[in-house]
Amino acid sequence: MTSTTPPAPRRQRTLLTDELLERVRSRADAHDRDNTFPHDDLADLVAAGYLTAFVPERLGGAGLTLEEVAREQVRLAGAAPATALAVNMHLVVTGLAALLDARGDGSVEFVLRDAAAGEVFAFGNSEAGNDLVMFGSRTRAERQDDGGYRYHGTKIFTSLSPVWTRLATFGLDDSDPDDPRLVHGVVAREDGGVRAKDDWDTLGMRATQSATTVLEGAYAPAERVYRRLPPGPSADPFVFALFAVFETLLAAVYTGIGRRALEVGVAHARRRTSMKNGGRSYAQDPDIRWRVADAALAQDGAELQLFALARDVDEGVDHGARWFAQLVGLKVRATETARVVVDHALRVSGGGAYFTGSELARLYRDVLAGIYHPSDDESAHATVAASVLGPLEG
């Protein structure tokens, strides 16, 4: 027999220490209870260089891959889901810029340079009543004589609302009815034309402070307008980069919630005892063991698919026409799996988990937010159906 040497393990770089994560975890309940933004968490993340995780080393950042950042987001979400989801939006903007930059597209290099200089990005695309999501907009984009654009409209779910300094947004320029364009650009808070409402009072993910943002002529200079695309689906690499990073990192946050819920459920099962079974731990009860195992089976699958697909993005694997189906499917499976795992954890943890002060109660409320993020269940199913059945006829 011929012996073979196993391949060297992949070295996963990390920026988040266990000590940092424990500090973040210790503050999560208070920020949730008080409905406050975690300024202290953000300061720790900035000090760790986390907001420059995607920035290439040549520009002064850590140069992490999508898989590496996804693994970090799983860990951060396990400590404080709302903190992870809030910073996720900064990571989406910088991550799509890094992906395009790595593939030779320098149109968004300014995003990476700004992030390296300490700017905090938010993602201002969602709009009430806009089920076209990225393929249409209710926001008006008005072209200026200098080639820049002013935006007029209302964006919802703008995470990092109290602290962002740069907003990646888009709107529709329909000044030419025969050639309307969706205009993507970045506005600076310091330049005005932006108003954040104090309207974030939600069931879960409270510390994200994802307030409504009103654009009242917010200005993106020509050099910060990086795409003018026709409405509807597009083959532009920007669209793929956005979907790839957005869906992967969303999946990471909810996978992190599932991982933490399983840990808490296991701890409760080991700690609880049964009078019926002579004081033995519930971890020895066959029914409890089956339920914990069911949760672990689901969680293992979620983590494996997340890291595998993130690695495929990093390595430029060719999934062809199936790419978007893979990405939206990842998001739906991750968020739905997390809900299942949290539910199992609650069921094995006893009535104490039902009290508002319990971590599992908070995780239960936080995990529900996953159903509202793009791509939603209906949109994802339409995308997957088209990828395997072809487009609808007529």
Side-chain angles (χ1 to χ4, degrees):
M1 296 181 61
T2 303
S3 62
T4 59
T5 302
R10 295 170 58 90
R11 184 176 68 89
Q12 299 293 337
R13 294 168 294 177
T14 181
L15 298 173
L16 305 179
T17 65
D18 292 341
E19 292 77 16
L20 183 155
L21 293 173
E22 283 306 313
R23 290 198 300 274
V24 169
R25 189 191 312 281
S26 72
R27 299 185 287 240
D29 284 338
H31 286 303
D32 174 75
R33 181 189 65 239
D34 300 336
N35 195 29
T36 53
F37 183 79
H39 291 279
D40 31 18
D41 292 356
L42 183 63
D44 278 347
L45 294 172
V46 169
Y50 196 53
L51 271 63
T52 61
F54 276 123
V55 176
E57 291 178 299
R58 64 181 173 81
L59 297 179
L64 298 191
T65 66
L66 182 60
E67 182 190 354
E68 288 171 325
V69 175
R71 289 179 180 275
E72 292 286 69
Q73 281 295 87
V74 169
R75 297 173 65 225
L76 182 58
T83 295
L85 186 60
V87 77
N88 217 51
M89 298 304 110
H90 172 90
L91 294 172
V92 166
V93 179
T94 56
L96 76 87
L99 185 56
L100 289 172
D101 182 76
R103 297 181 180 184
D105 182 343
S107 63
V108 285
E109 185 179 288
F110 72 89
V111 168
L112 301 171
R113 293 188 180 278
D114 278 1
E119 305 293 350
V120 178
F121 282 84
F123 192 61
N125 282 11
S126 296
E127 299 166 340
N130 177 12
D131 57 359
L132 292 173
V133 194
M134 295 303 302
F135 299 145
S137 179
R138 292 171 175 258
T139 296
R140 190 170 75 256
E142 294 182 345
R143 186 176 175 85
Q144 306 299 296
D145 292 340
D146 61 2
Y149 277 84
R150 291 195 178 276
Y151 295 96
H152 299 266
T154 301
K155 303 294 184 177
I156 59 173
F157 299 141
T158 314
S159 299
L160 297 170
S161 186
V163 297
W164 66 260
T165 61
R166 299 286 186 269
L167 181 69
T169 191
F170 83 131
L172 179 66
D173 175 8
D174 59 1
S175 57
D176 181 353
D178 296 325
D179 188 26
R181 293 281 162 164
L182 294 171
V183 182
H184 297 262
V186 173
V187 303
R189 196 169 204 151
E190 63 198 23
D191 292 339
V194 177
R195 176 167 54 89
K197 294 184 178 181
D198 184 15
D199 61 354
W200 190 250
D201 188 6
T202 51
L203 177 67
M205 291 295 187
R206 290 163 63 79
T208 65
Q209 290 300 297
S210 305
T212 299
T213 301
V214 183
L215 304 176
E216 302 170 319
Y219 176 65
E223 63 272 16
R224 291 175 180 266
V225 174
Y226 48 86
R227 283 298 189 278
R228 297 179 69 254
L229 302 175
S234 171
D236 191 287
F238 163 77
V239 176
F240 172 77
L242 175 56
F243 268 86
V245 178
F246 186 86
E247 302 288 51
T248 301
L249 294 186
L250 266 181
V253 169
Y254 289 89
T255 299
I257 294 176
R259 180 189 285 185
R260 179 57 181 170
L262 180 58
E263 292 172 351
V264 175
V266 167
H268 284 178
R270 287 173 171 165
R271 186 167 58 249
R272 296 176 66 209
T273 55
S274 170
M275 292 180 63
K276 182 176 66 175
N277 291 318
R280 297 178 71 196
S281 162
Y282 269 92
Q284 301 303 311
D285 182 296
D287 293 330
I288 296 296
R289 292 175 70 84
W290 183 92
R291 191 172 292 279
V292 169
D294 209 37
L297 284 167
Q299 182 64 27
D300 285 347
E303 298 200 17
L304 289 169
Q305 65 164 335
L306 168 64
F307 302 138
L309 198 60
R311 190 178 312 129
D312 281 358
V313 174
D314 290 330
E315 296 177 353
V317 173
D318 183 11
H319 287 293
R322 290 280 295 159
W323 252 123
F324 286 97
Q326 297 280 13
L327 292 166
V328 299
L330 171 67
K331 179 267 174 181
V332 169
R333 289 189 299 272
T335 53
E336 293 299 317
T337 297
R339 291 176 64 199
V340 168
V341 174
V342 172
D343 183 75
H344 279 314
L346 282 165
R347 290 173 185 271
V348 304
S349 295
Y354 192 63
F355 283 77
T356 57
S358 82
E359 184 177 2
L360 276 177
R362 174 166 52 80
L363 293 178
Y364 180 76
R365 290 185 290 105
D366 285 348
V367 80
L368 294 177
I371 66 178
Y372 298 106
H373 301 298
S375 293
D376 63 21
D377 215 15
E378 295 79 10
S379 174
H381 277 78
T383 298
V384 174
S387 75
V388 295
L389 294 171
L392 284 170
E393 298 178 359

